[in-house]
Amino acid sequence: NSPFENLSQREMQVMLMLTQGHSTQLISEKLHLSPKTVSTYRYRLFDKLGVSNNVELTRMAIRYGLIEQHADA
């Protein structure tokens, strides 16, 4: 079972945008949420998934096949 199955649809949206390197401000603008709400989603994501930063989140998403790893040449 993937730990991502426990996330809401909105949490998945925020998670994918975080793994793409989007800032809290940009995510809030694109999803029409306040920056504080995006920060709350980020905190909740980290807590549910047991990660402590965006790098760990991205590595976990790659491990579970939610995003692709791109090698820069």
Side-chain angles (χ1 to χ4, degrees):
N1 284 349
S2 168
F4 293 96
E5 292 175 4
N6 298 322
L7 301 181
S8 70
Q9 184 176 357
R10 182 64 91 184
E11 288 170 335
M12 283 294 288
Q13 286 178 310
V14 171
M15 182 276 298
L16 290 171
M17 293 180 83
L18 287 170
T19 62
Q20 294 168 358
H22 296 316
S23 67
T24 298
Q25 185 63 40
L26 182 63
I27 295 170
S28 73
E29 290 169 9
K30 288 193 174 216
L31 298 182
H32 307 288
L33 301 169
S34 75
K36 183 173 167 56
T37 301
V38 173
S39 292
T40 299
Y41 276 116
R42 185 175 178 268
Y43 173 81
R44 223 183 297 162
L45 280 167
F46 286 11
D47 187 52
K48 284 184 175 183
L49 298 173
V51 297
S52 58
N53 58 54
N54 288 357
V55 173
E56 289 179 13
L57 178 65
T58 302
R59 291 177 61 134
M60 181 180 269
I62 291 168
R63 190 176 329 125
Y64 283 93
L66 294 174
I67 59 173
E68 292 182 16
Q69 181 176 6
H70 296 283
D72 293 342

